Amino acid sequence: MAKNELAEGVVHKVPADLRKLLSSDAAARERWQGLTPLGRNEFICWVEDAKQLATRTRRIERTREELMEGKRRPCCWAGCIHRTDKPVGPWAQAVLIDKKKRKAK
């Protein structure tokens, strides 16, 4: 990876709005680069899961705050359901996937 290239997640790519924040804050960017690919993936999935722009904006700012606090994963996030390298856990299946299917009907 090139020195200025922003590290991605396992499944998700860094969206433009999060990339902008990380590019403008050297300390947050350094901590982002120090996360594991799975940790970065969790933050990206958490941001992208927001349904409203206001929520997404809050999550992007909170990503910066949590990185500066030394957190390696987003607080209060059940985990990315988009990964294919492991089965989805029973809790995530029931709450995150099945619940969304019921709402869509």
Side-chain angles (χ1 to χ4, degrees):
M1 174 180 353
K3 186 175 181 177
N4 291 330
E5 190 176 329
L6 194 59
E8 305 279 0
V10 174
V11 175
H12 299 287
K13 303 293 182 196
V14 180
D17 45 3
L18 181 57
R19 182 177 298 279
K20 182 177 177 182
L21 172 106
L22 294 169
S23 296
S24 68
D25 187 326
R29 179 187 176 90
E30 182 179 336
R31 291 182 185 210
W32 176 266
Q33 297 292 82
L35 294 177
T36 65
L38 291 175
R40 291 188 298 268
N41 195 74
E42 295 295 313
F43 275 109
I44 296 167
C45 189
W46 178 59
V47 166
E48 290 190 334
D49 190 62
K51 296 184 182 39
Q52 296 182 6
L53 181 58
T55 303
R56 184 181 179 100
T57 302
R58 271 194 320 272
R59 287 183 182 181
I60 289 171
E61 178 55 30
R62 197 163 142 203
T63 295
R64 187 192 64 73
E65 292 168 3
E66 291 188 10
L67 287 170
M68 299 313 295
E69 291 169 3
K71 294 187 179 168
R72 316 269 307 155
R73 297 275 203 295
C75 175
C76 309
W77 177 241
C80 177
I81 61 173
H82 305 101
R83 290 176 50 196
T84 58
D85 61 325
K86 68 174 185 78
V88 176
W91 184 89
Q93 179 69 43
V95 175
L96 301 176
I97 299 172
D98 295 344
K99 186 177 179 182
K100 285 181 182 181
K101 288 179 183 175
R102 285 192 303 269
K103 282 185 178 182
K105 289 181 181 179

